[in-house]
Amino acid sequence: MAVSTTVSKRITRKVPRAFLRRTFKQKKPHLRCDLLIHLNCLLFVHRLAKESRINACESKSRVIKKDHILAAAKVILKKSRG
């Protein structure tokens, strides 16, 4: 089982972090924030949007409402704790 988890981690990471950091520093040297924090924030927002869209579809709603986002945030935060 350990082999399959390492293989899936290799597949999901498409661009090496060192390359991203180097490129980010070359393009935007004046920014002080860390690239990984920014990427984690974008991933969280992406997961939140996906999960809230699923919640809206399950409740047969075309519009994503506050309740859908709050329910999705609870699920995502529970998964990210480990």
Side-chain angles (χ1 to χ4, degrees):
M1 214 170 186
V3 175
S4 64
T5 57
T6 57
V7 171
S8 64
K9 286 182 182 179
R10 289 181 192 161
I11 293 171
T12 57
R13 185 193 286 177
K14 295 179 182 174
V15 181
R17 289 183 184 176
F19 173 75
L20 287 174
R21 282 186 176 181
R22 185 176 57 237
T23 306
F24 190 76
K25 285 181 181 179
Q26 288 174 354
K27 300 288 182 183
K28 307 260 184 194
H30 60 282
L31 293 178
R32 300 272 184 209
C33 65
D34 191 19
L35 175 65
L36 294 177
I37 294 172
H38 181 68
L39 289 176
N40 283 336
C41 180
L42 289 176
L43 286 173
F44 175 77
V45 170
H46 183 71
R47 286 187 209 136
L48 183 66
K50 189 185 295 184
E51 189 72 29
S52 59
R53 184 183 60 206
I54 291 170
N55 289 345
C57 290
E58 287 176 354
S59 65
K60 298 178 182 178
S61 175
R62 289 185 171 197
V63 179
I64 298 174
K65 298 179 183 175
K66 181 181 175 181
D67 299 333
H68 301 137
I69 296 172
L70 290 176
K74 287 180 183 178
V75 171
I76 293 170
L77 290 174
K78 283 184 182 178
K79 287 181 182 178
S80 66
R81 285 186 192 151

